[in-house]
Amino acid sequence: MTQGIHGTVADGFEAVREEFAAFVGRELPDYEGQLCAYVHGRKVVDLWTGDGCEADSLYGVFSSTKGAAHLVVALLVQEGTLELDRKVTYYWPEFGVEGKGALTLRDLLAHRAGLVGVDAGFTGDELADDQAVAERLADQRPFWRPGTAYGYHAFTIGALTGEVVRRATGRRLQEVYEERVRAPYGLDFHLGLPEELEPRFRPVQPMAPTPEQQAVLDSEPTGPHTLASIAFNIHVPNPGELADYPNSRAVRAKGPASAGGVAAARGLAGMYAATISEVDGRPPLLKPDTIAEVGQIHSTGYDLVARTHKSFGLGFQAVSDYVYPFLGAGAFGHSGAGGSQAFADPRSGLAYGYTRRRCSFPGGAAPENERLVRAAHRAALAS
């Protein structure tokens, strides 16, 4: 029996609800998730399903957090507090050792620093604390010559850019996000979850791979000293499960900017809507030139960590290149390891947010997003 689908869609977006319901009907009985979308600042999709799932339930969104972090950076660049082509050492002098002195903020944001981890790995306490991670990375020798290649800085990019923000403003990135973005719009997208909101958090549930999926995993080259192992901090003794990361109260409380965010789909979509569109009478957070710059591809091709083709803008994934090619050029956002997806497509005005409780395989945006995004985009164009 198909679970009930709750919520509403605007006229013209019925196909999105149908696609969501069809997916839920094919999924496991205990599936729960949320889907939200805006077009030109107007909420047009607001759906949720699952036993215990409400419209305002909160989920660990892993690397979708990077979108919030780098919206802060974009705002600071827009107002002149940060300059993309200044060396990182201008803001953070201690960073310049071990051949890192020439790296610019632009290359850092484009995952070109070569600082995907540290040789000895991070402790669990360190991974909950961006400043502790940044201190370790300042002394680390890069894993490739900065600026010559790129690879996904899974657990480190938010700590690195966050330290630049802290040095330039005297304030933590999370504090700037709270005051400039989250609080003014009342967004359920938190980089640091208050204790009083803990009852709304739904712990992440890991999903065991099927035999076919396990065969894919077994066929991939692995080892304790690969770049992927270092980037995901699994080269340490007893690294734990990735799914447990947002289930840590320390992570939720501090909101590390790489992967520690907690959100509802409404919060994900609402943030991107506010980024590119007028919402509730407020002008867009980013100006057209800034939107074009952060969405412009800065790194593309072979990702040394993921060992596959990827593309990045400035802190954001270039989602129209390697994920959803039917979106408009310059679409930008970020997915998360648990299956979440969030982005803005400035050309159609679409802002999209998706969460789910149970982790998806193989990580990153859950595969059902392809059909959901396509239906939302078609409806947005038609509207």
Side-chain angles (χ1 to χ4, degrees):
M1 181 176 178
T2 303
Q3 297 182 97
I5 306 298
H6 306 283
T8 60
V9 296
D11 291 345
F13 288 81
E14 294 84 0
V16 182
R17 182 188 181 100
E18 292 168 5
E19 189 60 58
F20 188 60
F23 162 70
V24 171
R26 296 191 299 267
E27 265 295 291
L28 298 173
D30 57 352
Y31 168 81
E32 62 179 85
Q34 305 162 324
L35 174 63
C36 184
Y38 287 71
V39 174
H40 299 301
R42 180 174 70 102
K43 189 189 294 182
V44 293
V45 176
D46 188 20
L47 301 171
W48 64 94
T49 188
D51 186 19
C53 179
E54 302 293 342
D56 64 352
S57 294
L58 299 171
Y59 298 87
V61 294
F62 294 90
S63 288
S64 290
T65 308
K66 294 177 173 72
H70 295 119
L71 173 55
V72 170
V73 175
L75 285 169
L76 295 175
V77 168
Q78 179 171 268
E79 66 189 24
T81 303
L82 296 176
E83 296 183 29
L84 290 170
D85 294 313
R86 279 201 183 274
K87 294 178 180 178
V88 173
T89 53
Y90 176 82
Y91 306 102
W92 182 8
E94 302 93 320
F95 181 82
V97 301
E98 298 289 353
K100 304 193 295 291
L103 187 77
T104 65
L105 177 58
R106 186 184 298 275
D107 272 346
L108 177 62
L109 286 163
H111 291 258
R112 304 182 69 83
L115 291 173
V116 296
V118 293
D119 292 319
F122 298 109
T123 67
D125 288 342
E126 285 174 328
L127 285 179
D129 185 339
D130 279 346
Q131 193 170 342
V133 170
E135 289 175 359
R136 296 282 307 279
L137 291 167
D139 296 329
Q140 174 67 37
R141 183 180 181 87
F143 289 94
W144 60 84
R145 185 177 177 182
T148 63
Y150 86 101
Y152 186 45
H153 289 53
F155 273 122
T156 61
I157 191 68
L160 289 164
T161 55
E163 186 65 12
V164 172
V165 169
R166 191 177 74 87
R167 297 299 182 104
T169 67
R171 313 194 61 204
R172 295 171 61 241
L173 181 151
Q174 289 84 350
E175 293 173 322
V176 180
Y177 169 75
E178 176 67 20
E179 293 186 7
R180 299 281 300 273
V181 181
R182 198 213 66 76
Y185 290 90
L187 298 173
D188 262 335
F189 187 179
H190 303 268
L191 303 192
L193 185 66
E195 182 73 37
E196 60 268 24
L197 298 185
E198 277 291 323
R200 289 166 50 195
F201 175 71
R202 304 286 288 167
V204 174
Q205 296 177 331
M207 177 179 281
T210 66
E212 293 79 10
Q213 292 168 345
Q214 187 62 53
V216 172
L217 291 174
D218 292 342
S219 69
E220 294 179 348
T222 58
H225 306 298
T226 64
L227 277 178
S229 295
I230 294 167
F232 287 94
N233 204 55
I234 57 176
H235 63 309
V236 299
N238 304 312
E241 295 292 332
L242 182 63
D244 292 334
Y245 185 67
N247 289 344
S248 160
R249 173 57 193 160
V251 169
R252 296 195 301 278
K254 294 183 177 180
S258 291
V262 175
R266 286 176 173 178
L268 295 174
M271 186 194 78
Y272 281 100
T275 298
I276 64 168
S277 304
E278 180 180 308
V279 175
D280 296 332
R282 296 174 178 269
L285 286 167
L286 298 186
K287 298 175 181 178
D289 285 351
T290 310
I291 290 171
E293 183 134 50
V294 300
Q296 185 180 49
I297 293 174
H298 281 65
S299 293
T300 190
Y302 187 75
D303 181 319
L304 293 177
V305 172
R307 294 191 291 262
T308 187
H309 174 90
K310 286 193 174 184
S311 295
F312 282 91
L314 292 179
F316 298 93
Q317 293 172 329
V319 293
S320 59
D321 175 55
Y322 75 98
V323 188
Y324 311 118
F326 49 86
L327 293 179
F332 62 95
H334 221 292
S335 61
S340 63
Q341 176 68 81
F343 66 82
D345 179 12
R347 295 177 187 270
S348 67
L350 175 65
Y352 176 95
Y354 175 77
T355 63
R356 57 179 285 167
R357 186 179 187 191
R358 188 180 291 277
C359 283
S360 65
F361 178 89
E368 63 267 18
N369 278 288
E370 199 277 339
R371 296 175 69 103
L372 296 171
V373 170
R374 188 181 293 275
H377 184 246
R378 283 176 176 166
L381 293 178
S383 69

